[in-house]
Amino acid sequence: MSKENVLKVENVTMQFGGVIAVDNMNLEVDKGEIVSLIGPNGAGKTTAFNVITGVYAPTNGAVYYKGNKIIQNYPQGKMKKLYRGENPMTYTGQHAVAPTPDKITRLGIARTFQNIRLFKSQTVFENILIAKHMLRTSNIFTATFRLNGKEEARMRRESEELLHLMELDDVRDELATSLPYGKQRHLEIARALATKPELLLLDEPAAGMNPQETLELTQFIGRIRDEFGLTIFMIEHHMDLVMEISDRIYVLDFGKPIAEGTPEEIRNNPRVIEAYLGGAQNE
Amino acid sequence: MSTKKKNAWNVGLIAALLILLFLLEQTLPSSSMLFTVLKKGAIYALVAVSMNLLNGFTGLFSLGQAGFMLLGAYTYAILTIPMESRNSVYQYFDGGIIQFTLPIPVALIAGGIAAAVFAYLIGLPVLRLKSDYLAIATLGFAEIIRAVFQWDKLGPVTNGSNLLRNFPSFRSVVFPFVVAGICIALIVMLINSTYGRAFKAIRDDEIAAEAMGINLAHHKRLAFVISSFFAGISGGLLAMYQTTIQASMFKSAMTYEILLIVVIGGIGSVTGSCISSFLFIACSEWWLRFLDNENLYIGGFHVPFLRPGFRKVVFAVVIMAVVLFYRQGIMGTKEFSVEGIADFFKRKFSGKKEKKGGVSHE
């Protein structure tokens, strides 16, 4: 089976002032995989996500999506002196590539947020419909004068279909924030899927869920991976979920990747047990 | 109700309104305060809706509306003063340097475009700011524009700080209603389009909107430019209504009046802005006028405190009460519609207690 590389993070370092949040991270995600990023609180997982999605420009390093370089930076300005990370010279002098998050999404990388960010004043259906905006071909005039009837109809139809697939059609017209917590998570994932991504980044999808909801989410993530042909890269704390569905796991500690491997390998890796599980195996 | 039926209702209502206006004009004396309120109310409704597009639907707190109205008003006036009266209007500047006139509709649209162009240019730096900072920057812009237009060196174009007059105006109340109506309809169509949804997404959560592939800078600029375009057109209408204009009219107090209309009507409600605009103008120009009358007697009793300017005190209290007790404004984020009223009465008569009636959620 030939592996097609979807996401490649290369020597990425993110330094805020004197603090290194992500230290020389390297990782790869192949097509169709579910890869998890784990680590204790403050290990830099969400920062890594924010670098990949363009929220932060990395201090140093590059990110590739399907073989194309999408992000690249090297220490510049004040950071030249402050930089304490590795490989400071690798990217120096090359063009800095720093796309905004919306460009990253349009490339096919969608994400969800650790603290759910839904459009509060909109209904469930409208939340999904908004995500279809980026796939428009109409401009502001054709949209205002309804000359894009076909496109508008397609947006609505696709959103309806997605709602149906995500089993959200019974709450179609409710305000997004009036949904129960678990459903809000589902909706956020559905909204990300509405942008038709190939790579889905989930930031702690099971945060605040009880074991039953976590179990449902586990099945849900597996299902959408198969149904939408997705590649999934996620941050998670719930070990049951991570061990159950991950193909591979990366472990981050104090910004540094300390281990990589299958769930089995990670479970038995002494460094991981020491750093993450604090020596006691009680997952 | 189906969309077609709804549209038929709306068209019918608008036609009925225009006919009513026409009939009123035929029957009532033209000096009636009602017409003043209707004309000015329609103009303020347009600028309030344009401000609502920005503040209420895109979540950009901008206070530059008076500046854009000034641009629209001046562009309209400068381009429509008839050739024969240019010498008397620009008496200190040898008749000015603009020596042509344009038809009224073209000049109105040109006013909108002038405002939009300036909005685009100042939007480039200013739209990087957020909330209060954006408000201060746009307010500053409006003040600068006002000062620049009074500058003597620009006199050949703007007539300096002197009045611009003799440009064509309207007499019938139908004209501002039709123009403002068309513009508001365009804004509503925009809000209901996929771009409108993107604007609302930015208002609700910028970070999430960006993660949904919405280009923040582009969409904010669009909203800013479009809002300014319509503010420019309403500026042109205001010039027509007042028959003379002067840069010193477009003070920041004007922006606050418009902001007040938007807040009272409900931030994020187009119909709310329209209704509150008429109420606001009626109160400030008409209904509360009696408070300025020093010698008011009710049944032989001399009402105390009344004197010129007292109206503004009462007005301020009314506004404070509205903001304190109706924090959502008259309409909240809801819209006034035929369907909503029908539902309201159905509920009333069937005696069922359900959610708030009278309005429907679009």
Side-chain angles (χ1 to χ4, degrees):
Chain A
M1 198 177 85
S2 69
K3 277 196 215 164
E4 194 194 327
N5 189 269
V6 174
L7 180 74
K8 186 174 163 201
V9 176
E10 192 183 81
N11 303 329
V12 162
T13 300
M14 185 76 227
Q15 184 175 336
F16 297 104
V19 182
I20 297 186
V22 176
D23 193 0
N24 202 37
M25 187 165 84
N26 282 281
L27 59 81
E28 285 182 33
V29 180
D30 292 328
K31 192 170 170 56
E33 270 189 318
I34 295 181
V35 176
S36 297
L37 183 63
I38 62 172
N41 285 330
K45 305 181 297 288
T46 299
T47 307
F49 253 43
N50 283 342
V51 168
I52 296 168
T53 53
V55 177
Y56 302 138
T59 316
N60 190 47
V63 178
Y64 297 82
Y65 173 63
K66 295 204 284 190
N68 302 315
K69 190 181 284 175
I70 55 168
I71 296 168
Q72 175 172 285
N73 202 6
Y74 56 91
Q76 304 178 48
K78 257 192 218 161
M79 265 300 156
K80 249 185 207 168
K81 277 188 191 158
L82 276 175
Y83 187 64
R84 296 189 287 109
E86 293 174 50
N87 302 313
M89 296 312 289
T90 317
Y91 303 95
T92 304
Q94 299 186 41
H95 256 300
V97 189
T100 46
D102 57 292
K103 288 209 184 89
I104 300 278
T105 309
R106 270 178 272 151
L107 287 172
I109 304 177
R111 73 170 293 181
T112 64
F113 295 89
Q114 189 174 353
N115 45 341
I116 302 176
R117 286 180 174 277
L118 292 169
F119 300 122
K120 294 184 279 292
S121 68
Q122 317 276 316
T123 65
V124 170
F125 179 66
E126 284 165 338
N127 260 273
I128 294 193
L129 201 51
I130 285 164
K132 293 288 176 198
H133 179 66
M134 87 176 210
L135 301 165
R136 73 192 180 275
T137 52
S138 56
N139 61 33
I140 192 146
F141 292 104
T142 54
T144 302
F145 293 106
R146 298 293 181 279
L147 302 172
N148 63 339
K150 261 188 194 161
E151 184 182 72
E152 182 77 22
R154 177 181 58 77
M155 284 179 177
R156 287 178 181 273
R157 193 185 60 241
E158 285 177 0
S159 304
E160 297 277 6
E161 283 167 8
L162 192 61
L163 272 184
H164 186 67
L165 272 174
M166 297 283 117
E167 293 158 11
L168 288 165
D169 28 14
D170 50 328
V171 288
R172 182 184 183 279
D173 294 318
E174 302 214 13
L175 274 187
T177 42
S178 68
L179 297 186
Y181 191 78
K183 284 261 178 192
Q184 290 195 19
R185 284 272 173 210
H186 274 225
L187 175 57
E188 213 195 11
I189 295 173
R191 193 183 62 177
L193 289 176
T195 64
K196 297 193 178 165
E198 282 182 52
L199 173 63
L200 183 61
L201 306 182
L202 303 173
D203 195 346
E204 295 202 25
M209 285 189 170
N210 63 34
Q212 175 60 31
E213 286 172 325
T214 310
L215 186 70
E216 282 170 20
L217 186 78
T218 313
Q219 293 161 352
F220 179 71
I221 292 174
R223 207 190 86 199
I224 58 171
R225 190 256 309 256
D226 299 337
E227 274 179 27
F228 293 86
L230 288 173
T231 306
I232 294 174
F233 182 41
M234 67 174 183
I235 295 174
E236 193 40 74
H237 273 305
H238 282 64
M239 279 306 131
D240 326 348
L241 174 73
V242 172
M243 293 298 169
E244 172 83 26
I245 59 169
S246 303
D247 295 313
R248 283 187 303 121
I249 298 171
Y250 285 90
V251 188
L252 212 58
D253 192 23
F254 291 110
K256 265 194 173 310
I258 56 168
E260 183 226 321
T262 61
E264 199 55 36
E265 287 165 6
I266 294 295
R267 216 192 291 265
N268 300 317
N269 186 324
R271 276 188 78 188
V272 177
I273 295 168
E274 193 195 321
Y276 189 73
L277 302 171
Q281 252 181 309
N282 54 352
E283 37 82 11
Chain B
M1 228 188 283
S2 71
T3 334
K4 259 190 186 168
K5 208 171 165 189
K6 243 195 248 174
N7 285 343
W9 262 104
N10 289 338
V11 170
L13 270 182
I14 291 165
L17 180 73
L18 288 179
I19 292 169
L20 180 72
L21 285 176
F22 184 74
L23 289 178
L24 275 176
E25 248 183 350
Q26 301 302 315
T27 48
L28 288 176
S30 62
S31 58
S32 165
M33 270 315 274
L34 180 66
F35 294 120
T36 311
V37 169
L38 287 177
K39 284 175 192 165
K40 205 173 172 192
I43 295 163
Y44 268 67
L46 173 56
V47 68
V49 171
S50 86
M51 193 178 199
N52 212 340
L53 172 68
L54 207 54
N55 291 15
F57 288 95
T58 320
L60 293 172
F61 188 31
S62 155
L63 293 176
Q65 235 58 12
F68 296 117
M69 285 180 83
L70 182 149
L71 282 165
Y74 262 77
T75 311
Y76 169 77
I78 291 168
L79 293 176
T80 51
I81 295 174
M83 290 312 298
E84 56 270 23
S85 45
R86 281 204 185 245
N87 274 328
S88 66
V89 174
Y90 287 90
Q91 51 180 325
Y92 304 110
F93 299 100
D94 302 329
I97 53 166
I98 291 170
Q99 293 297 339
F100 58 89
T101 48
L102 293 177
I104 294 173
V106 180
L108 268 181
I109 291 170
I113 290 171
V117 167
F118 270 80
Y120 179 83
L121 293 176
I122 72 149
L124 291 177
V126 157
L127 287 178
R128 290 162 190 267
L129 302 171
K130 277 181 190 157
S131 63
D132 316 0
Y133 301 99
L134 177 64
I136 292 166
T138 46
L139 190 64
F141 155 78
E143 292 295 299
I144 291 167
I145 282 282
R146 184 162 63 85
V148 166
F149 268 68
Q150 288 174 308
W151 189 26
D152 240 21
K153 291 263 161 61
L154 285 178
V157 181
T158 63
N159 207 14
S161 52
N162 307 306
L163 278 178
L164 282 175
R165 55 196 157 80
N166 285 353
F167 45 82
S169 58
F170 53 77
R171 208 172 278 151
S172 165
V173 67
V174 176
F175 182 82
F177 264 81
V178 168
V179 176
I182 291 171
C183 292
I184 291 173
L186 286 176
I187 296 175
V188 170
M189 279 162 76
L190 172 68
I191 287 170
N192 290 332
S193 78
T194 178
Y195 280 85
R197 293 196 292 266
F199 291 161
K200 286 185 229 167
I202 293 173
R203 169 191 69 188
D204 282 358
D205 193 325
E206 272 192 17
I207 294 171
E210 205 171 24
M212 289 300 107
I214 294 169
N215 186 334
L216 286 186
H218 177 67
H219 283 83
K220 282 182 177 179
R221 207 180 305 133
L222 267 180
F224 195 54
V225 166
I226 292 168
S227 161
S228 307
F229 175 81
F230 289 112
I233 290 197
S234 74
L237 286 177
L238 191 69
M240 292 177 100
Y241 164 72
Q242 292 188 320
T243 65
T244 60
I245 55 161
Q246 206 174 6
S248 57
M249 278 166 33
F250 297 88
K251 291 208 177 72
S252 52
M254 192 177 217
T255 305
Y256 297 138
E257 278 182 359
I258 301 157
L259 181 65
L260 208 60
I261 291 174
V262 171
V263 171
I264 292 175
I267 296 173
S269 169
V270 172
T271 41
S273 291
C274 295
I275 294 170
S276 81
S277 147
F278 286 106
L279 286 178
F280 178 90
I281 300 294
C283 286
S284 67
E285 305 267 332
W286 189 14
W287 294 340
L288 297 182
R289 279 277 173 197
F290 72 91
L291 294 170
D292 282 355
N293 182 0
E294 231 168 314
N295 301 311
L296 186 73
Y297 291 89
I298 298 177
F301 173 69
H302 183 228
V303 185
F305 298 125
L306 297 188
R307 68 203 57 191
F310 188 68
R311 171 175 61 111
K312 296 205 165 156
V313 178
V314 174
F315 201 51
V317 173
V318 168
I319 284 159
M320 270 159 62
V322 167
V323 173
L324 276 175
F325 298 111
Y326 290 91
R327 208 156 295 173
Q328 295 285 305
I330 302 172
M331 304 296 287
T333 55
K334 301 190 178 79
E335 294 294 353
F336 186 85
S337 68
V338 181
E339 196 179 358
I341 299 170
D343 279 1
F344 177 75
F345 280 109
K346 258 183 221 160
R347 266 183 228 134
K348 273 264 149 131
F349 288 115
S350 63
K352 267 185 205 165
K353 257 202 169 179
E354 282 180 59
K355 276 188 218 160
K356 273 183 219 159
V359 281
S360 77
H361 203 93
E362 274 287 325

